[in-house]
Amino acid sequence: MADNRTFDYVIVGAGTAGCVLANRLSADPRHRVLLIEAGGRDTYPWIHVPVGYLFTIGNPRTDWCYETEPEPGLNGRRIGYARGRVLGGCSSINAMIYMRGQQSDYDHWAALGNRGWGWEDVLPVFRRSEDYQHGADAWHGVGGELRVEERRVNWEILDAWREAAGACGIPPIAEFNRGDNFGSAYFQMNQRRGVRWSGVRAFLDPVRRRPNLTIWTHALVERMLLEPSEGLLRARGVRVRLGDDAPIDVSAHRELVLAAGAIGSPVLLQRSGVGAPETLRTHGVEPVHALPGVGGNLQDHLQIRTIYRVSNTVTLNRRAATWFGKARMGLEYLLFRTGPLTMPPSQLGAFARSDADQAHANLEWHVQPLSLDRFGEPLHPFDAITPSVCNLRPSSRGSVWLRSPDPDTAPAIAPNYLATADDQTIAIEGLRFTRRIMAAAPLARFRPEELKPGTEALTDEALLDAARNLGTTIFHPVGTCRMGRDAGAVVDDRLRVHGIAGLRVIDASVMPTITSGNTNAPTVMIAERGAAFMLAEAASRN
């Protein structure tokens, strides 16, 4: 009988990917699986109320509370960079939007040489995980763990914005997620009857009593244990600190999996001596294995939040302005699981091309029936909406690096937003396109008044400066352990780390290029694929 420090599979990170992996790998009772999470259990009530992201993001109970380096492309600003530090990871604090991306995203991955990652390969994987409110069809599945439902509150101003987008050439469509997202639709969400449906609810809770699955919380992995084996390195396990206790070593008999996300996974590799040798030495780590791509290729969606004051309608600003309004919303949620407390940060979306030369939609809007100066501050005392526009396929590339070997030290995160001329041009075009929509006839009766960036921003130079001042993350970091075959790749197309046996990275960090939209659903798909690779390899050895 193996002891409690030896497992077949050790998974570092109990976010979206980690929960999927724990479910799939432990399905075979012969596999002893350990799931390690640095944060605590998901018992905080605001995790499960959809609007609770207001109280989980920026809260050290549930968030790593990272901050970027001063960003040259954002006029030297630092911005908050939320990452889930709780069971469920970012799926416990995110926007709950179910967005796969577009067919062209995955076909591009395949064209880069990543076998089995084209749209036709991944669509069945998306469908297999899904439990779609409207039943199965060519694009959707039922009976899977990941519940997908429609919104449970309506806003007059959002219906009008959708009509205005149609007047500007963005047609209304039934839904996204069918391969080509061009059009406008209400986002579908990972909720079940008004409750957040996180990775824990979907994949972990149904199997947590399996005797072969062990879950550790408040467990910080200090580094991987690597040793020579048959002419190359092999991952033998991890050194982990449980609470305030002294670190212990845990062995992975079959494979070690890093599922700590686009920030956590590359930093753990670096802390263990895997990365660009000279940079590792600069930060006090002796190189063990040279992989220069670790921590590079950071991609993220920069949203530019415009704000328009409106009249002749009611937005969340007014509904939440009084204690009576708050009580009414709370009562509606308690009795019916409907109303504003079921809202994700954004309910309405739209996809379009910034110019005719774009082969596919490269702009996305997240439209909110509310406004505030910045996240965490009070709503404005007047009715307003916030149409945020982002470049779906940025060409700028950033990085994430450890500052020291100390696992308690936050990493240096440098997204490098708006670093290329293309990204700057698309930001300007996104702002101009937003203005065209806001000036369209279906919105005229609401008398929209542009507050940010403000009507004085007319030239390209002024609009670019506005983008630098208003831009912020939508929390979609990917790519820092990218999949590929070239010298800068970190994992192969079976998600095995190049040059280290028994080690895989399975999370959003393996994306070669960012998907067109929110990244949680693609992360579920990546984890499903990774688990299938691991189980197939295990079966071939038995």
Side-chain angles (χ1 to χ4, degrees), residues 283-528:
H283 293 89
V285 177
E286 186 60 30
V288 174
H289 180 64
L291 269 182
V294 173
N297 193 48
L298 175 61
Q299 299 161 59
D300 190 13
H301 290 137
L302 180 75
Q303 65 171 350
I304 305 170
R305 295 171 55 84
T306 66
I307 295 176
Y308 287 79
R309 186 169 183 162
V310 293
S311 305
N312 304 318
T313 192
V314 175
T315 67
L316 185 63
N317 288 13
R318 197 192 318 179
R319 290 196 65 177
T322 65
W323 282 110
F324 176 77
K326 291 183 175 72
R328 184 178 176 181
M329 291 189 296
L331 188 62
E332 181 180 1
Y333 183 77
L334 287 172
L335 293 177
F336 307 110
R337 292 290 189 266
T338 59
L341 267 65
T342 67
M343 283 174 53
S346 303
Q347 287 184 280
L348 178 66
F351 284 72
R353 297 171 176 83
S354 62
D355 61 82
D357 292 334
Q358 301 293 328
H360 308 281
N362 69 317
L363 291 177
E364 180 184 12
W365 284 265
H366 291 75
V367 191
Q368 302 171 314
L370 55 87
S371 68
L372 66 171
D373 286 331
R374 59 182 60 84
F375 188 84
E377 296 193 3
L379 297 173
H380 290 143
F382 47 80
D383 286 310
I385 65 169
T386 301
S388 299
V389 64
C390 77
N391 176 3
L392 291 168
R393 291 188 292 277
S395 53
S396 300
R397 297 292 183 266
S399 63
V400 56
W401 268 96
L402 81 169
R403 297 179 190 273
S404 82
D406 180 2
D408 293 313
T409 300
I413 302 169
N416 204 26
Y417 297 118
L418 298 175
T420 66
D422 282 347
D423 287 357
Q424 294 167 16
T425 297
I426 292 169
I428 293 167
E429 290 305 312
L431 287 170
R432 293 195 186 282
F433 207 147
T434 303
R435 281 179 170 169
R436 291 199 296 274
I437 295 171
M438 294 304 302
L443 283 169
R445 66 189 177 99
F446 302 106
R447 295 184 294 178
E449 175 190 353
E450 183 179 319
L451 302 182
K452 290 186 178 181
T455 54
E456 67 278 5
L458 297 175
T459 66
D460 285 359
E461 182 179 7
L463 287 171
L464 178 57
D465 191 57
R468 296 188 191 283
N469 288 327
L470 298 175
T472 190
T473 179
I474 321 181
F475 310 116
H476 296 166
V478 307
T480 49
C481 296
R482 72 174 174 86
M483 171 171 49
R485 300 181 180 183
D486 59 285
V490 177
V491 300
D492 65 14
D493 54 20
R494 295 302 179 265
L495 311 184
R496 297 169 295 206
V497 174
H498 290 300
I500 303 180
L503 178 63
R504 297 188 204 237
V505 179
I506 304 179
D507 56 31
S509 70
V510 306
M511 294 186 191
T513 51
I514 196 166
T515 53
S516 299
N518 307 71
T519 52
N520 188 67
T523 301
V524 172
M525 180 276 294
I526 288 168
E528 293 277 26

Side-chain angles (χ1 to χ4, degrees), residues 69-196:
E69 298 297 285
E71 278 287 297
L74 302 185
N75 286 337
R77 291 186 296 128
R78 294 178 182 266
I79 59 174
Y81 217 71
R83 297 284 86 197
R85 187 178 188 176
V86 64
L87 213 58
C90 289
S91 74
S92 290
I93 67 172
N94 70 2
M96 297 160 286
I97 292 172
Y98 183 77
M99 182 68 66
R100 295 169 176 171
Q102 300 187 97
Q103 176 172 345
S104 56
D105 300 331
Y106 301 101
D107 289 346
H108 178 59
W109 291 7
L112 293 173
N114 297 298
R115 301 162 297 168
W117 289 93
W119 175 253
E120 295 301 323
D121 301 304
V122 304
L123 179 58
V125 184
F126 280 115
R127 293 180 71 249
R128 194 178 309 131
S129 300
E130 188 180 15
D131 188 22
Y132 186 57
Q133 179 179 354
H134 302 300
D137 58 25
W139 296 281
H140 294 287
V142 295
E145 293 86 353
L146 193 62
R147 183 68 175 171
V148 178
E149 294 188 351
E150 302 287 356
R151 71 195 185 282
R152 299 172 72 85
V153 62
N154 296 307
W155 299 93
E156 177 187 41
I157 191 69
L158 296 187
D159 292 338
W161 196 96
R162 194 179 184 205
E163 291 180 33
C168 294
I170 307 175
I173 58 175
E175 61 159 329
F176 303 118
N177 296 315
R178 296 182 178 184
D180 181 356
N181 287 344
F182 173 56
S184 178
Y186 284 95
F187 292 124
Q188 294 168 330
M189 300 170 292
N190 294 131
Q191 291 186 13
R192 184 180 289 279
R193 294 188 290 274
V195 176
R196 174 188 290 275

Side-chain angles (χ1 to χ4, degrees), residues 184-259:
S184 178
Y186 284 95
F187 292 124
Q188 294 168 330
M189 300 170 292
N190 294 131
Q191 291 186 13
R192 184 180 289 279
R193 294 188 290 274
V195 176
R196 174 188 290 275
W197 207 245
S198 67
V200 178
R201 288 289 184 98
F203 295 98
L204 203 56
D205 281 349
V207 303
R208 65 165 63 243
R209 294 188 182 277
R210 287 175 178 168
N212 61 325
L213 175 61
T214 301
I215 303 169
W216 287 352
T217 55
H218 298 292
L220 181 64
V221 175
E222 295 189 345
R223 64 181 179 87
M224 301 184 299
L225 304 176
L226 306 174
E227 61 183 49
S229 175
E230 299 178 357
L232 44 132
L233 281 177
R234 183 171 188 85
R236 294 297 187 190
V238 291
R239 181 159 294 165
V240 57
R241 189 173 71 221
L242 293 168
D244 296 327
D245 295 339
I248 62 171
D249 291 347
V250 176
S251 297
H253 177 65
R254 288 183 180 269
E255 291 193 70
L256 171 63
V257 185
L258 306 189

Side-chain angles (χ1 to χ4, degrees), residues 259-272:
I263 305 302
S265 288
V267 171
L268 179 54
L269 285 166
Q270 293 164 359
R271 211 158 55 230
S272 306

